[in-house]
Amino acid sequence: MREITPRKILEMKGREKIVMVTAYDYPSALIADRAGIDIIFIGDSLGMVIYGEQNTLNVSMEQMVYHTRAVSRGVKRALVLADMPFMSYEISVEEGMKNAARLIQAGADAIKIEGGYDHRKLVKKLVKSGIPVMGHTGLTPQRYLRLGGYRLMGETEEEIEEILRDAKALEKAGAFALVIEFTLADVARLVTEEVKIPTIGIGSGPYCDGQVLVWHDLLGLYENVPPFVKKYADLRDMIGLALEDYKNEVKEGKFPAPKHYWEFLDKDDFEKKKKKVLEQFLEDSDD
Ligand SMILES: Nc1nc(=O)c2c([nH]1)NC[C@@H]1CN(c3ccc(C(=O)N[C@@H](CCC(=O)O)C(=O)O)cc3)CN21
Ligand SMILES: CC(C)C(=O)C(=O)O
Ligand SMILES: [Mg+2]
């Protein structure tokens, strides 16, 4: 078992901020784990940042399983959390149970679903079966079509009520935490004060118990970043420059340099071997 457990995450509320980041492959997971990140999260945002889709609606269970397996192999300390993709849990509680189990068997320590109140029965049953669950309210990207795009949530009384209702339902059903995405900071603060489980914010201000960002956004590897992102590095430029260097050095004959290849030291020895091999080829071509 890994060091950071859902129980530890729960106990961090009010004591220490929780830091979560997405990762989608083995080398990224290794880096995130060594950096001391608390929760390494295989998000369905991989549909956009890894597969180049416009939204997250085309992500399959297979993709989530593959990426969860890769990430899982790189993590020793952090909690490994996997996202349930669109339509993997909406049809029935049974399908939700089966699909959650697949992610756990691929190496996740817990799963995340979008929504709260509407899925309280599933959450309760998952927790009862031993699968820790994180909820997700505010902007839930799997409602992309219904919402007409991604936008700030929690401005109206109805939206505030819905967000708080989700959070309370998740707490009651036994979820160990919830994501609050792209809501007004006051609403995220209200939710954080109203529930005993930690809130992990993205674009929802400083009052949450933790923060989550997408790997490609914070490292500067993605073009269309949401407006709430802080870029902590500009890896796109760094990678671009490295690739241009490589290209130029190959074109100019500077790479590979002597330390990157191996030659016969005894050239006479090689000449003898070469002669024999070429003679062999001449004989063979007579057949
Ligand atoms: N790379 C990435 N980072 C994310 O944080 C992220 C994803 N992908 N995919 C799933 C959701 C979608 N998220 C998003 C994406 C875009 C905006 C955004 O740009 N909002 C604009 C208006 C967009 C529009 O209506 O065209 C804004 O200014 O509010 C917000 C949240 C957050 N999540
Ligand atoms: C934006 C985060 C919370 C997410 O759900 C994802 O990356 O898929
Ligand atoms: Mg997601």
Side-chain angles (χ1 to χ4, degrees):
M1 196 156 67
R2 295 183 177 99
E3 220 175 287
I4 309 289
T5 59
R7 172 176 290 276
K8 284 201 175 143
I9 296 297
L10 247 168
E11 286 167 354
M12 285 167 82
K13 187 175 175 101
R15 293 199 175 93
E16 183 186 345
K17 291 277 187 182
I18 299 156
V19 188
M20 169 162 147
V21 70
T22 70
Y24 311 102
D25 58 27
Y26 173 75
S28 314
L30 271 180
I31 296 169
D33 201 36
R34 283 175 191 163
I37 298 290
D38 299 310
I39 304 177
I40 301 180
F41 171 48
I42 307 96
D44 64 346
S45 50
L46 64 80
M48 296 168 74
V49 298
I50 303 288
Y51 292 92
E53 303 267 5
Q54 288 289 323
N55 54 50
T56 59
L57 302 182
N58 287 325
V59 176
S60 67
M61 271 304 299
E62 283 66 36
Q63 286 172 307
M64 295 309 300
V65 166
Y66 291 150
H67 289 276
T68 297
R69 195 163 280 141
V71 166
S72 168
R73 290 190 180 124
V75 182
K76 286 200 186 84
R77 175 186 173 271
L79 183 92
V80 174
L81 176 75
D83 227 354
M84 293 280 281
F86 181 57
M87 279 300 142
S88 67
Y89 55 98
E90 289 89 338
I91 295 161
S92 69
V93 169
E94 287 69 28
E95 266 193 61
M97 295 291 296
K98 274 189 195 157
N99 286 324
R102 287 180 68 189
L103 295 176
I104 295 296
Q105 284 161 351
D109 302 311
I111 61 102
K112 180 171 84 54
I113 61 163
E114 287 189 13
Y117 183 81
D118 293 340
H119 301 296
R120 60 195 188 281
K121 287 210 175 91
L122 173 63
V123 175
K124 209 170 165 184
K125 193 152 180 186
L126 284 167
V127 172
K128 216 172 165 185
S129 310
I131 299 183
V133 180
M134 187 182 289
H136 183 159
T137 190
L139 171 61
T140 48
Q142 291 173 16
R143 287 186 301 171
Y144 178 77
L145 297 173
R146 214 184 89 199
L147 293 171
Y150 300 130
R151 62 172 176 85
L152 187 62
M153 306 294 288
E155 277 180 283
T156 65
E157 213 179 296
E158 288 74 29
E159 282 180 7
I160 298 169
E161 198 185 323
E162 192 179 294
I163 291 164
L164 193 58
R165 191 189 56 182
D166 277 346
K168 295 247 185 209
L170 286 163
E171 177 182 38
K172 194 168 167 217
F176 72 94
L178 76 147
V179 165
I180 306 180
E181 179 164 351
F182 210 17
T183 65
L184 288 156
D186 313 80
V187 178
R189 180 181 213 163
L190 171 71
V191 173
T192 302
E193 288 168 357
E194 285 291 322
V195 295
K196 290 187 193 73
I197 57 174
T199 58
I200 299 176
I202 173 163
S204 301
Y207 312 113
C208 296
D209 299 303
Q211 296 291 326
V212 54
L213 280 177
V214 167
W215 180 273
H216 293 66
D217 295 347
L218 85 97
L219 295 175
L221 283 168
Y222 190 66
E223 290 208 28
N224 305 309
V225 296
F228 48 74
V229 166
K230 178 171 176 184
K231 257 209 279 184
Y232 285 88
D234 215 329
L235 293 198
R236 214 157 59 108
D237 286 358
M238 280 184 72
I239 293 170
L241 286 174
L243 291 173
E244 277 176 39
D245 269 0
Y246 168 53
K247 179 199 71 180
N248 291 336
E249 289 204 359
V250 173
K251 299 274 186 194
E252 292 162 14
K254 286 185 183 157
F255 176 83
K259 65 175 171 185
H260 303 120
Y261 61 88
W262 293 262
E263 286 187 284
F264 272 96
L265 293 174
D266 184 347
K267 294 296 180 196
D268 290 340
D269 176 38
F270 178 63
E271 286 306 318
K272 273 183 227 153
K273 284 173 173 152
K274 183 171 102 182
K275 207 171 147 220
K276 278 191 188 153
V277 170
L278 291 178
E279 276 168 11
Q280 193 68 43
F281 268 94
L282 272 175
E283 276 172 35
D284 289 350
S285 64
D286 291 345
D287 303 341

